[in-house]
Amino acid sequence: MTLNLYNTQTRRKEAFVPLTPNAVKMYCCGVTVYDLCHLGHARSYIVWDTVRRYLLWLGYEVRYVQNFTDIDDKILKRANEREMTMQEVSDRYIQEYFADIRPLNVLDADEYPRVTEHIPQIQQIIQDLIDKGYAYPVGGDVYYQVERLPDYGKLSGRKLEDMQAGASGRVNEGEIKKKHPFDFALWKAAKSGEPAWDSPWGKGRPGWHIECSAMVRSLFGDTIDIHSGGGDLVFPHHENEIAQSEAATGKPLARYWLHNGMVKIGGDKMSKSLSNFITIRNFLEHPYDPMVLRLFVLLAHYRKPLDFTEEAIASAENGWQTLQEGLHFGQRYGAKLGWKLSEMSVDSNGYKERFQESMDDDINTPGGLAVIFELAKELRKESNLLTHEGKTEIASEVLEIQWKTLVELAGVLGIEAQPEAATVEEIGEAEIAAIIEQRTAARNAKNFAEGDRLRDELKAKGIILVDKAGETTWHRG
RNA sequence: GGCGGCAUAGCCAAGUGGUAAGGCAGGGGUCUGCAAAAUCCUUAUCGUCGGUUCGAUUCCGACUGCCGCCUCCA
């Protein structure tokens, strides 16, 4: 089986072959740290984390790097508003990033390079571009000259002459300095009061796109395997990264460009500028288990738009309950069934194969989840039988393999259940037995109202009664 | 204006040239005093119109609708 990934640059699914066998160099565009992360960020990092986990599961050695953009106009603005330094703002929101993203079971990156820590490398690549004639300094700024690169626009599939400058309605002043409207800043001259670094072109700071080019080159070398990010970064950000890096090195920047679809709310893209975003924090305050969000995201294919609705979340929440019951099976019944918890990797009924088949097809997580749900539902059923009937027809070893397969495959998607908390002993077994006895008496006397009342009384204390022929058993809900 | 994407059941969502996974929600039956659990059954001609084909939801074209990007953006 071969992993196929949809490459934005070629607009096709392509067989994934890393530059170095068994090792994957993956770079993901991170956040600009001036505010809390919203559900769009959550989707993006859950998706790329899942790709990373899948590659690991396939046996690749993955080096995953994700940057923090800690120099930016919006950070400066926020710093001024709050009378903080730029670094105080970015440090704060880097902390917040981890506080929000880690609970989603997104693995930490191997490295988190920051722009402010790569100024020399950035200046070096700018100098290289000037030396090679791809960039020009003007009055303290340095611009990339897009017309010098014949294939500028190859990632996003556009031509300079087709684009409408300023179509987004956000054109800055200072346009006159540029030779072409789509030339973009590699280095920006310092304005008074802003943090600035010395450079051959005067005091200033880096432009937005150059950081990724510089950090990729510095950490990985000329070419990486996978470069990922949100679909809204295709143009101009990634297009410009390609322009910079490939002009500077003469080598392809990335072999596979992967982009996730946007999260929508009420039909529109969730974004800062539309002020229609929900932060991860707001969402989890509901409260929802973070796994609900992870499941919601993975229930859709990563490249498609994902509409955030209450109904879809409710659906994910119920689905999570199902998965959780399957995932808890081992904890609940493993010991009782005499599992030895030995290492075994027998694939039962081709579950892993079917899972892999879906995931190999451009990370088709909905297909992978179908397999996971199948396992979880079977285990939930057996769990119910054990709880209510005290027995199951399925051999213990079979259940053990199924459960391990479930845990393994769910884990590939980063879906994990917390161990069930031991229930607080609000009520002793003797007391329960006494109430059951009272209830049995009431029921024998056809006083079902009293019987139901006693059942509800216990239910309120987390005790679920099950009437079977001749006896009533109980378990903690 | 340019580039790109999407349209599948009540909702979410995969997928395939030979009559469509999965999740959520719902309906009906068996069992039960009622529940719970189990179990059986049940809910789609895949946006519209053409074309190619023995046959298309799946390929091609047109149309309609929605969305994203065109120097803030995950």
Side-chain angles (χ1 to χ4, degrees), chain A residues 269-326:
Chain A
K269 176 186 168 187
M270 182 177 291
S271 71
K272 291 294 176 83
S273 46
L274 289 177
S275 288
N276 63 350
F277 59 91
I278 297 172
T279 62
I280 296 171
R281 199 152 301 180
N282 281 156
F283 177 80
L284 294 179
E285 274 166 4
H286 188 77
Y288 289 113
D289 188 309
M291 283 298 116
V292 170
L293 181 51
R294 185 146 188 141
L295 184 60
F296 168 68
V297 166
L298 297 178
L299 239 14
H301 183 84
Y302 78 90
R303 280 194 286 118
K304 286 205 172 176
L306 177 58
D307 218 334
F308 178 86
T309 61
E310 291 299 327
E311 225 173 349
I313 291 298
S315 171
E317 197 180 14
N318 289 330
W320 169 235
Q321 289 304 322
T322 300
L323 294 183
Q324 214 172 6
E325 286 181 52

Side-chain angles (χ1 to χ4, degrees), chain A residues 26-95:
Chain A
M26 183 167 177
Y27 182 93
C28 176
C29 280
V31 282
T32 300
V33 278
Y34 71 103
D35 205 349
L36 296 176
C37 288
H38 56 63
L39 297 181
H41 299 108
R43 179 185 200 188
S44 192
Y45 300 117
I46 286 170
V47 161
W48 305 125
D49 178 62
T50 302
V51 171
R52 178 190 186 188
R53 286 170 181 269
Y54 186 60
L55 290 166
L56 289 167
W57 186 68
L58 290 178
Y60 290 106
E61 190 180 300
V62 181
R63 185 173 172 210
Y64 181 95
V65 175
Q66 185 177 310
N67 68 299
F68 283 120
T69 297
D70 61 352
I71 300 178
D72 172 87
D73 288 344
K74 293 185 292 297
I75 305 173
L76 281 167
K77 183 163 172 269
R78 184 57 53 95
N80 288 333
E81 286 165 5
R82 300 195 180 168
E83 296 182 341
M84 296 163 81
T85 66
M86 188 172 74
Q87 186 171 349
E88 283 166 349
V89 172
S90 53
D91 283 348
R92 154 90 196 278
Y93 286 106
I94 285 172
Q95 284 189 331

Side-chain angles (χ1 to χ4, degrees), chain A residues 17 150 410 415:
Chain A
V17 182
I415 291 173

Side-chain angles (χ1 to χ4, degrees), chain A residues 260-273:
Chain A
N260 64 276
M262 299 294 97
V263 174
K264 298 197 302 170
I265 185 159
D268 295 318
K269 176 186 168 187
M270 182 177 291
S271 71
K272 291 294 176 83
S273 46

Side-chain angles (χ1 to χ4, degrees), chain A residues 199-258:
Chain A
S199 84
W201 321 287
K203 272 184 165 304
R205 59 191 170 93
W208 175 33
H209 318 294
I210 195 66
E211 62 189 68
C212 292
S213 288
M215 294 190 292
V216 166
R217 181 159 83 160
S218 152
L219 292 166
F220 282 118
D222 293 341
T223 303
I224 58 174
D225 294 298
I226 295 175
H227 193 127
S228 65
D232 49 358
L233 297 182
V234 175
F235 191 91
H237 186 54
H238 289 163
E239 193 70 71
N240 290 347
E241 278 185 45
I242 289 177
Q244 295 159 348
S245 292
E246 299 191 358
T249 67
K251 308 258 179 56
L253 172 55
R255 294 158 58 77
Y256 302 89
W257 286 89
L258 273 40

